[in-house]
Amino acid sequence: MFKKTKKKDLGKSIQDFESILGETIRVDGNLVIAKSIRIDGCLNGNTLQKEGSEATIAIAPSAQIVGDIRAQHIIVAGSVKGNIFSSGKIELLAQAKIEGDITYDNIGIEVGANVTGKLLQISSLKVANETGLLLSQVKQKIAN
């Protein structure tokens, strides 16, 4: 019924995406990702990597995100109003428009990317501790 999408090109990275949030779809709520997702539509909520996994989150040029994004690998070509946090690599493509702070281990920024916020580089160990704390906080909010 549903076909897995293989090898979608978004910028310089070619990834296998387990899930795709289509351009005509709007989601109000948090997403927890175990492997990978490409977001082409609108999301009002946080996108978080599942604890213990290494996920890739790709924000396509047509995407509009209002919420925080946390994952091992993040590719941004669309619009994000929220903080971005990666324990691995962040790629900001030329079309990216970000309003929020970016915390990263490694980052690549193409000419034309627009960032209104701070760029903060941190060690991988600190990222792991903060990611665990955030997931605990999200779980508590969901339980209440």
Side-chain angles (χ1 to χ4, degrees), residues 50-64:
K50 182 179 176 183
E51 191 172 351
S53 65
E54 294 184 1
T56 297
I57 298 171
I59 311 302
S62 60
Q64 296 179 355

Side-chain angles (χ1 to χ4, degrees), residues 30-32 46-48 68 70 131-144:
N30 295 329
L31 298 177
V32 179
N46 300 320
T47 308
L48 308 169
D68 294 344
R70 290 180 175 253
T131 301
L133 178 62
L134 177 72
L135 286 173
S136 297
Q137 291 170 347
V138 169
K139 288 177 186 175
Q140 286 176 350
K141 285 181 182 179
I142 292 171
N144 294 332

Side-chain angles (χ1 to χ4, degrees), residues 17 90 115:
F17 292 104
I90 295 177
V115 178

Side-chain angles (χ1 to χ4, degrees), residues 20-36:
I20 295 179
L21 185 71
E23 196 170 329
T24 60
I25 296 175
R26 174 187 165 146
V27 174
D28 293 314
N30 295 329
L31 298 177
V32 179
I33 308 303
K35 186 177 177 187
S36 62

Side-chain angles (χ1 to χ4, degrees), residues 73-144:
H73 184 198
I74 302 168
I75 306 163
V76 182
S79 172
V80 176
K81 290 183 181 179
N83 299 317
I84 299 174
F85 188 89
S86 174
S87 57
K89 178 170 68 170
I90 295 177
E91 298 176 56
L92 303 180
L93 305 183
Q95 311 93 320
K97 290 182 178 36
I98 296 142
E99 292 180 34
D101 296 342
I102 299 173
T103 305
Y104 63 92
D105 189 31
N106 293 300
I107 192 167
I109 304 173
E110 286 187 352
V111 173
N114 186 321
V115 178
T116 304
K118 296 180 219 167
L119 298 177
L120 307 162
Q121 185 174 26
I122 60 173
S123 71
S124 296
L125 180 59
K126 187 175 179 184
V127 171
N129 291 336
E130 289 181 12
T131 301
L133 178 62
L134 177 72
L135 286 173
S136 297
Q137 291 170 347
V138 169
K139 288 177 186 175
Q140 286 176 350
K141 285 181 182 179
I142 292 171
N144 294 332

